[in-house]
Amino acid sequence: MKISESENPDRLRDKKLIAPANFSVRDQVSDAGSPALEKFTALENATVVQRSLEAGAVLAGRAATAEFGFGLNGDACLKNFTSQAADLAFMADLAGEPRYAAAAGGRFGFKPSHGTVSRAGLIGLMPSLEAVGLLGNHPADVAAAMAEIAGFDGKDFSLEAEPLAGFPVRPPKTESKPVLGRPAGCEARLSPAAREIFSAGLKKLEGAGFPVREVPWPGDETFRDLHRVIGSVEASSSCGKFDGVRYGLRADSANNWNDMYLKTRAASFSTFLKTLLFQGAFFQFESYGTFERAARIRARLIREIGQLFETVDLIISPVRPETPAAESAREVDQTYAAFSLTLPANVTGCPALAFSLSGGREASDPGLQVMGGFRSDAFLLACGKRLFETLTGGA
Amino acid sequence: MDYRKRTGCGKLRPADIGREVCLAGWVDARRDHGDLLFIHLRDISGIVQVVFNVQAGSLYEAAGRLKEEYCVLITGQVVRRLEGTENPALETGDIEIKAAGLEIISASKTPPFPISEKAMTAGASVKGTEGVEEDLRLQYRYLDLRRPSLQKHLVNRYRIIKAARDFLDSRGFIEVETPTLTRSTPEGARDYLVPSRLHPGNFYALPQSPQLFKQLLMVGGLERYFQVVRCYRDEDLRPNRQPEFTQLDLEASFIDEEFIYELMEEALVRMFAVAGISLPRPFPRISYREAMETTGTDRPDLRFDLRLVEATDLFRNTGYAIFRKIIGQGGRIKGLIVRGKSEILSKNVLQNEYAREIVPGFGAKGMTWMRVAGGKLESNIVQFFNPGEQQAILERFQAEDGSVIMMIADTSSETVLSALGQLRLHLARRLELIPGNKYHPVWVTGFPLFEATEAGLTSKHHPFTAPDRTDFDPADRPGLLSLNSRAYDLVVNGEELGGGSIRINDARVQRRIFQALDLSEAEVEEKFGFFVRALDYGTPPHGGLALGLDRVASMILGTASIRDVIAFPKNRSAVCPLTQAPAPVTPEQLAELHLAGEGELKISGRREEDPVKRLAWVSRLGYEESERNELKKAVEAAADLAGRIEKLPADAEPVYSPSRPGNRMRPGRTASKYPGVEKKDLFRNAPAVKNGHFKVANILE
């Protein structure tokens, strides 16, 4: 039951697609970048892969991914996207990975609203925070792909029942420009050079008639802390299935069931991921109240961000703060620091897109992120195209 | 109504026709025919059918309100059932009660599982408790106990124990109770400990057996003691093991082995007779060594033949390299012969099942097999044996056409015996060599007194067992290992039902045994000083035995599990689902018992103090020592994070997903088999597969 079923079955004809190793591709190794799934061969295509192929896309290649797609350390999606001259790539968005990669690499990255695109076949880590993200050259490709992949899938029980409205994305009928909200202090984490590029971009938008207003913002630390509590608990829970029984790595010389678990799981995860899993275990077994409290605070933030969209149409911010690049993050703390500006969309489930302000030419380019209200994906992509064309000359 | 006039439901017979009776019990089942309403009324004596007629007006209406397991009082008249409606499944099946009065004593909620075991009409099926989770039955054991079959088991258990009590009484034994709060002594298994409130830091132990007390009773001159006694062992979980179990424990003075054999054979004959089983006497005896050499176990199942045959000497000069090498390393070769079953034991079964899978599972590295046809041996390795060796094999095993010879070779004699012993049982079960309803008791005697360990010696039974001679040198290890004990085990159908020994009654011999075990005087004093001192005061010769009553009752009554002969057993995880024992206690209780510090609880052995180790265990996530520091920092950071979250306002209802899932129930989908099942796709990524299942490590050690 795809959104575009009655529209045009050939919308992705000959589009070259990259499916990273955390997306299942039938009969191919899909290890999700994890020792736990070393040599794991997928039995079925992920729903999004299957739907893209049915719509005419061509699988141009796979790509290594960070462990279970969390962060960009070890991720080769952007690199393969460029070397294969691809049109589209799937990228799991746990903390903002495709948006960050797009802003750094001169591409267009998109994270859909939570619960709109099937995650069946995505080897994920944080179910309530992650979404199937997309990387493309142009907003139109991403919008076309969204029209194919979004919608009901009986294999994913976390999808919303109602189909996502507004697809296929068409140009707005009015010429009126959307009102852009700029979170107070959102440039605080930028270097002077990055701040200059970002301000120039805003000026350009205002010059083109897009109204920009400052909006109150809960603070990046709150989003980071919530993501970390909820994400670590969900990761600990998700990784429970990697026990070496039915698939994946099995450690040698286990004396008994418990021993098999301990040894297998010791060898299944990197130290990087284990630090997150131990934190998740801490909240699950020793401080469950913290997890529940985080879920309450998350509800408040979802409500408050929702109220912001009653006063502005979109929220804009930079993508990449002044921290060591996400690709080089060796510790979970560093990963969270690199994604501090993209986490709000994961915590609130809102859609967000991102692109480079300099076409990937300036190393200090912080990129532009545009977040829309929950399930306003089609509107966001339509506006995103106008912003993208205004700022990049329409490439 | 007057309960004194009550009659047992199951006692009524055609001779009672015409009698006015008063019955009380539970509604076992009901059946409504419109104008007639039938119920089965059940009490401990059995079941009888009661009929309510629509013409009885309000009585019939009241009966209409009855549900299963209501506790009721019924009056009525015994009448003969209409011809053709008799129920042969009931002992009362020729009659029924025409109801005249009904009183609902106590209503019942719908039980969580069916209790009725008797169909209301001849030939109809009964749902029964098959398929009901055992833990659910144990959680509602008081309902489970209403099942006639379980009641029968408990009644018969009582009769079995009573038979033993009566018999021992007739032989001059008296029942004496020994303490259950006692001192921890080394008995082989772990003790259940009871903390002492009055003596901080000190513990009682629940007895693993009353061993020392019963010997002290002999020192005390009681001469003939027995006790039906509860014992406790904190051992690892096994399917048919209970943390507390009941023993028939006995001890007598001025006796020898023959006294015990005669006494216990007679006792056991009487106990088995409760279920109509006749045990043949006298029980045969077999030495430990013969049992091991011919059956591979000291618990031989002698209901079928299949004996192990020595073959090492046949291959001293063989050209078969594997055998030659094993013999060269001091190993041995033994085998067994199965006659007339070569059709079932095909080459494929022997090679692919037994040699590759089954026998390696018994601990042996491999198995050699040969089939006999046309007076010759056939197998993939026969070519390695010269004609003389082949002939010797045929003669040694007395092989004939249609026989199959299976041999195991190993450098360890224990491995050869143990693997062949297990193979013997496996073959017997598979080839249906074990006759049903046959009971084969046997005394196993002549056990070695000591076993060698890496550190030295250990007692095969316990250190109070008398040796077969007392002229040993406690420093002569080979000499000690050649000593036999005066112990005996009683084995029936391959199951050890009991065991005992003649004890040491000479304090000097006892001290030399302790020396042989390398126990210092201080250690002896610490562990059993109170007992050894008693031996200095004119101890009579004595001996005894303990019988595992749960096991004995289970065997006599033919139950699948010993839990079926125990009223309130623990489950396989040593938990009581009814009371949820073991359960946490309050910090106040712990403090009172000096098991908690001030502030944070410190329960030795229950809560791992190191947070990284603790979390690694609860989430079954191991780590390398090199990762430890980072994990420790991460857990500390999580605690800081919890502190920050605590400071943020949190007034809303919690949200666990930003979207609202609409298809949790997957509308329009019906259950179906995953197509990959047929293609064995599910095993494509499996780390280990065996016989069409995912193979995993043992759940229990």
Side-chain angles (χ1 to χ4, degrees):
Chain A
M1 204 195 300
K2 294 179 296 187
I3 291 173
S4 71
E5 204 138 60
S6 60
E7 301 283 342
N8 179 353
D10 288 339
R11 292 168 67 90
L12 298 182
R13 163 116 2 239
D14 297 332
K15 293 287 182 193
K16 291 169 77 177
L17 175 71
I18 303 282
N22 52 341
F23 285 81
S24 298
V25 174
R26 185 168 53 225
D27 296 333
Q28 292 194 17
V29 170
S30 302
D31 63 14
S34 164
L37 286 173
E38 195 184 13
K39 297 182 188 155
F40 174 81
T41 306
L43 303 182
E44 293 183 344
N45 284 333
T47 297
V48 290
V49 171
Q50 183 67 21
R51 289 183 177 179
S52 305
L53 297 180
E54 285 170 4
V58 178
L59 189 62
R62 310 294 304 279
T65 172
E67 199 170 0
F68 297 114
F70 179 50
L72 288 171
N73 187 354
D75 188 277
C77 196
L78 180 66
K79 183 168 149 266
N80 291 13
F81 186 89
T82 306
S83 67
Q84 297 292 321
D87 300 297
L88 283 166
F90 293 125
M91 260 184 105
D93 191 317
L94 287 75
E97 291 80 354
R99 288 171 277 156
Y100 191 101
R107 308 289 165 183
F108 188 84
F110 180 66
K111 171 202 169 291
S113 293
H114 190 267
T116 59
V117 177
S118 170
R119 287 181 296 119
L122 163 67
I123 302 165
L125 191 67
M126 304 170 176
S128 88
L129 297 164
E130 72 200 5
V132 173
L134 286 156
L135 196 66
N137 291 313
H138 191 275
D141 285 343
V142 170
M146 266 299 285
E148 295 303 323
I149 63 174
F152 181 83
D153 174 21
K155 292 178 183 169
D156 181 352
F157 59 78
S158 67
L159 289 182
E160 294 234 350
E162 288 296 311
L164 203 50
F167 285 90
V169 176
R170 294 197 174 84
K173 286 176 183 148
T174 66
E175 281 302 305
S176 71
K177 301 279 198 315
V179 179
L180 308 178
R182 182 173 60 83
C186 71
E187 302 99 331
R189 294 177 187 278
L190 303 185
S191 67
R195 202 171 296 168
E196 206 168 292
I197 296 172
F198 186 70
S199 299
L202 288 195
K203 278 197 186 110
K204 204 167 175 183
L205 288 176
E206 282 178 308
F210 289 92
V212 179
R213 286 184 202 155
E214 189 171 276
V215 291
W217 197 245
D220 296 333
E221 291 81 3
T222 307
F223 285 108
R224 185 198 60 204
D225 286 351
L226 288 189
H227 193 289
R228 190 143 188 184
V229 172
I230 294 165
S232 66
V233 168
E234 292 187 359
S236 168
S237 181
S238 293
C239 285
K241 61 180 171 280
F242 299 111
D243 53 15
V245 174
R246 287 168 302 153
Y247 51 78
L249 181 80
R250 163 92 62 90
D252 291 336
S253 69
N255 297 327
N256 58 39
W257 184 267
N258 278 323
D259 193 39
M260 181 182 81
Y261 269 20
L262 285 164
K263 285 182 179 160
T264 294
R265 288 164 57 73
S268 290
F269 311 113
S270 69
T271 308
F272 171 90
L273 194 66
K274 275 185 202 168
T275 58
L276 190 71
L277 298 181
F278 268 74
Q279 293 189 326
F282 173 81
F283 296 122
Q284 282 175 296
F285 296 106
E286 311 218 328
S287 188
Y288 188 77
T290 303
F291 174 66
E292 195 191 293
R293 194 172 177 86
R296 290 179 187 280
I297 299 165
R298 185 182 195 184
R300 173 170 63 78
L301 291 186
I302 289 172
R303 189 183 68 217
E304 287 175 5
I305 298 294
Q307 284 163 352
L308 282 187
F309 286 109
E310 291 169 10
T311 60
V312 295
D313 294 308
L314 301 165
I315 292 170
I316 56 169
S317 66
V319 183
R320 301 163 63 217
E322 187 195 17
T323 59
E327 292 82 354
S328 61
R330 299 263 177 265
E331 292 175 7
V332 174
D333 280 345
Q334 294 165 347
T335 301
Y336 272 102
F339 289 104
S340 59
L341 295 170
T342 47
L343 296 172
N346 300 88
V347 172
T348 59
C350 290
L353 56 81
F355 53 87
S356 159
L357 288 165
S358 66
R361 287 181 290 275
E362 294 283 346
S364 53
D365 180 354
L368 180 75
Q369 174 173 238
V370 188
M371 189 163 96
F374 186 60
R375 289 175 67 80
S376 71
D377 301 48
F379 174 73
L380 173 64
L381 282 167
C383 296
K385 183 163 175 285
R386 292 168 77 184
L387 296 170
F388 181 74
E389 286 168 353
T390 303
L391 288 170
T392 64
Chain B
M1 292 189 201
D2 186 352
Y3 294 121
R4 280 174 300 181
K5 294 177 183 165
R6 188 178 155 225
T7 307
C9 296
K11 291 181 178 165
L12 297 169
R13 295 289 181 275
D16 297 304
I17 287 169
R19 256 183 75 193
E20 298 290 336
V21 291
C22 169
L23 306 171
W26 290 264
V27 176
D28 188 69
R30 66 193 291 281
R31 186 161 55 101
D32 193 345
H33 274 208
D35 51 351
L36 291 175
L37 193 145
F38 299 92
I39 66 161
H40 267 182
L41 188 66
R42 182 190 68 233
D43 66 14
I44 187 81
S45 68
I47 289 172
V48 70
Q49 176 162 285
V50 182
V51 55
F52 296 89
N53 195 311
V54 70
Q55 290 166 353
S58 61
L59 177 63
Y60 178 83
E61 278 174 30
R65 291 193 288 275
L66 292 178
K67 290 181 183 165
E68 285 169 14
E69 298 314 312
Y70 273 41
C71 184
V72 296
L73 190 68
I74 287 171
T75 52
Q77 190 181 33
V78 182
V79 297
R80 182 177 293 282
R81 290 203 194 195
L82 288 177
E83 198 174 330
T85 65
E86 295 90 349
N87 187 348
L90 293 184
E91 291 185 30
T92 62
D94 291 332
I95 55 103
E96 61 191 10
I97 308 300
K98 189 178 164 192
L102 165 69
E103 181 189 333
I104 296 176
I105 300 171
S106 175
S108 168
K109 287 184 179 178
T110 304
F113 50 83
I115 289 163
S116 176
E117 293 182 326
K118 294 287 182 192
M120 293 197 76
T121 53
S125 63
V126 184
K127 215 170 176 189
T129 51
E130 208 171 299
V132 177
E133 283 283 329
E134 189 182 27
D135 266 12
L136 184 68
R137 292 204 284 115
L138 293 181
Q139 186 188 342
Y140 293 91
R141 189 62 159 178
Y142 44 86
L143 295 179
D144 200 30
L145 285 169
R146 289 187 188 170
R147 291 192 297 121
S149 58
L150 195 48
Q151 290 182 347
K152 195 174 164 196
H153 290 329
L154 291 180
V155 168
N156 280 331
R157 177 191 167 108
Y158 161 76
R159 297 203 191 290
I160 290 165
I161 295 174
K162 183 170 185 297
R165 272 202 167 104
D166 290 347
F167 169 67
L168 290 170
D169 179 72
S170 75
R171 291 290 181 95
F173 283 77
I174 59 158
E175 186 160 11
V176 181
E177 289 150 280
T178 52
T180 51
L181 289 178
T182 178
R183 184 191 168 97
S184 176
T185 52
E187 291 251 19
R190 218 170 282 121
D191 287 319
Y192 277 101
L193 297 176
V194 182
S196 163
R197 179 177 63 82
L198 297 174
H199 303 279
N202 289 295
F203 293 80
Y204 300 101
L206 301 180
Q208 295 184 37
S209 82
Q211 182 64 35
L212 297 182
F213 286 109
K214 69 174 174 176
Q215 289 192 240
L216 291 176
L217 287 174
M218 296 303 105
V219 179
L222 272 291
E223 293 203 16
R224 292 189 180 192
Y225 141 94
F226 84 97
Q227 185 181 189
V228 175
V229 58
R230 192 65 54 82
C231 302
Y232 307 84
R233 286 184 193 171
D234 186 3
E235 293 182 286
D236 289 336
L237 304 173
R238 293 251 174 89
N240 223 5
R241 187 181 270 176
Q242 288 280 312
E244 56 179 307
F245 54 96
T246 307
Q247 284 191 350
L248 175 63
D249 191 55
L250 59 89
E251 195 79 5
S253 297
F254 307 111
I255 54 119
D256 58 11
E257 288 90 334
E258 294 301 329
F259 173 89
I260 296 287
Y261 296 158
E262 191 278 331
L263 180 82
M264 286 317 297
E265 288 182 19
E266 185 58 31
L268 221 60
V269 163
R270 293 182 185 216
M271 291 161 85
F272 273 72
V274 168
I277 299 166
S278 168
L279 286 187
R281 281 191 67 188
F283 296 175
R285 299 172 197 176
I286 186 171
S287 75
Y288 168 79
R289 281 187 178 79
E290 187 187 347
M292 291 302 293
E293 288 297 323
T294 59
T295 66
T297 173
D298 57 2
R299 286 172 285 129
D301 188 342
L302 301 178
R303 286 175 293 173
F304 57 97
D305 277 340
L306 269 194
R307 296 290 189 272
L308 313 189
V309 177
E310 182 61 51
T312 314
D313 56 308
L314 303 182
F315 302 105
R316 292 245 175 257
N317 303 307
T318 185
Y320 184 41
I322 295 175
F323 278 12
R324 201 173 57 229
K325 191 174 164 197
I326 285 171
I327 294 173
Q329 291 171 347
R332 68 187 303 195
I333 301 159
K334 281 180 81 96
L336 46 78
I337 181 164
V338 183
R339 298 178 200 281
K341 300 283 184 186
S342 63
E343 277 179 24
I344 303 173
L345 296 176
S346 65
K347 285 178 186 173
N348 181 35
V349 167
L350 288 165
Q351 185 59 30
N352 293 328
E353 289 189 32
Y354 279 96
R356 285 222 184 115
E357 294 278 346
I358 296 172
V359 168
F362 297 152
K365 292 182 189 71
M367 183 197 83
T368 302
W369 56 269
M370 294 166 214
R371 292 153 57 84
V372 186
K376 288 184 175 171
L377 295 170
E378 282 179 357
S379 95
N380 50 359
I381 59 148
V382 168
Q383 52 180 316
F384 300 114
F385 299 121
N386 64 38
E389 284 168 342
Q390 294 187 29
Q391 189 55 37
I393 294 169
L394 287 168
E395 286 171 12
R396 176 65 56 85
F397 284 89
Q398 298 177 346
E400 58 218 25
D401 283 4
S403 301
V404 175
I405 296 168
M406 298 156 99
M407 286 191 279
I408 291 176
D410 201 283
T411 51
S412 152
S413 179
E414 287 78 26
T415 302
V416 170
L417 294 175
S418 159
L420 274 174
Q422 294 174 72
L423 175 62
R424 176 178 178 268
L425 290 177
H426 192 281
L427 287 167
R429 289 190 195 109
R430 178 167 185 162
L431 304 174
E432 297 177 347
L433 303 178
I434 305 173
N437 298 325
K438 183 173 177 181
Y439 294 85
H440 199 307
V442 59
W443 288 105
V444 182
T445 64
F447 288 90
L449 188 67
F450 294 111
E451 281 181 324
T453 65
E454 281 180 19
L457 296 178
T458 178
S459 293
K460 175 94 178 160
H461 282 81
H462 53 64
F464 317 110
T465 306
D468 60 349
R469 52 189 176 81
T470 54
D471 58 348
F472 61 88
D473 173 1
D476 171 22
R477 185 180 154 101
L480 291 171
L481 283 171
S482 72
L483 281 178
N484 277 352
S485 72
R486 294 178 69 185
Y488 32 78
D489 278 357
L490 182 54
V491 175
V492 181
N493 295 358
E495 200 164 337
E496 182 188 331
L497 294 185
S501 63
I502 302 300
R503 327 294 182 189
I504 296 167
N505 69 317
D506 182 332
R508 287 166 303 179
V509 175
Q510 186 67 67
R511 290 200 175 91
R512 277 161 56 219
I513 292 285
F514 288 139
Q515 282 171 29
L517 291 169
D518 207 18
L519 290 173
S520 69
E521 282 187 27
E523 282 172 303
V524 172
E525 178 59 30
E526 161 68 21
K527 287 176 178 167
F528 4 70
F530 69 96
F531 174 75
V532 178
R533 266 191 297 283
L535 294 183
D536 286 328
Y537 292 90
T539 302
H542 63 284
L545 175 140
L547 209 57
L549 274 180
D550 305 309
R551 255 166 226 293
V552 170
S554 176
M555 177 176 283
I556 293 174
L557 301 176
T559 64
S561 154
I562 59 169
R563 294 184 293 281
D564 291 337
V565 295
I566 300 172
F568 297 101
K570 310 279 186 290
N571 67 12
R572 289 158 190 250
S573 307
V575 166
C576 172
L578 174 67
T579 62
Q580 291 298 316
V585 295
T586 63
E588 293 74 25
Q589 284 174 291
L590 290 173
E592 216 171 42
L593 294 168
H594 318 285
L595 291 176
E598 293 173 19
E600 195 194 353
L601 288 184
K602 287 179 187 160
I603 310 165
S604 170
R606 287 194 65 180
R607 186 176 161 87
E608 171 60 54
E609 286 303 309
D610 178 345
V612 173
K613 275 193 196 167
R614 194 167 65 223
L615 290 171
W617 174 246
V618 294
S619 55
R620 300 294 190 275
L621 177 53
Y623 57 89
E624 299 293 333
E625 208 42 47
S626 58
E627 296 176 313
R628 186 181 169 70
N629 260 342
E630 285 201 53
L631 298 176
K632 185 162 171 276
K633 276 195 289 179
V635 175
E636 287 164 0
D640 292 343
L641 184 49
R644 291 205 295 277
I645 292 287
E646 206 52 46
K647 291 186 185 133
L648 295 171
D651 51 353
E653 281 300 301
V655 154
Y656 296 102
S657 169
S659 52
R660 289 146 301 176
N663 64 336
R664 285 237 157 94
M665 299 304 289
R666 303 188 181 190
R669 286 165 66 95
T670 51
S672 62
K673 206 180 208 180
Y674 175 65
V677 172
E678 302 298 338
K679 291 190 289 172
K680 306 230 182 296
D681 265 358
L682 288 180
F683 291 139
R684 266 173 71 184
N685 290 298
V689 175
K690 185 178 177 186
N691 298 336
H693 293 87
F694 295 103
K695 186 182 173 191
V696 295
N698 288 335
I699 292 176
L700 303 175
E701 280 187 73

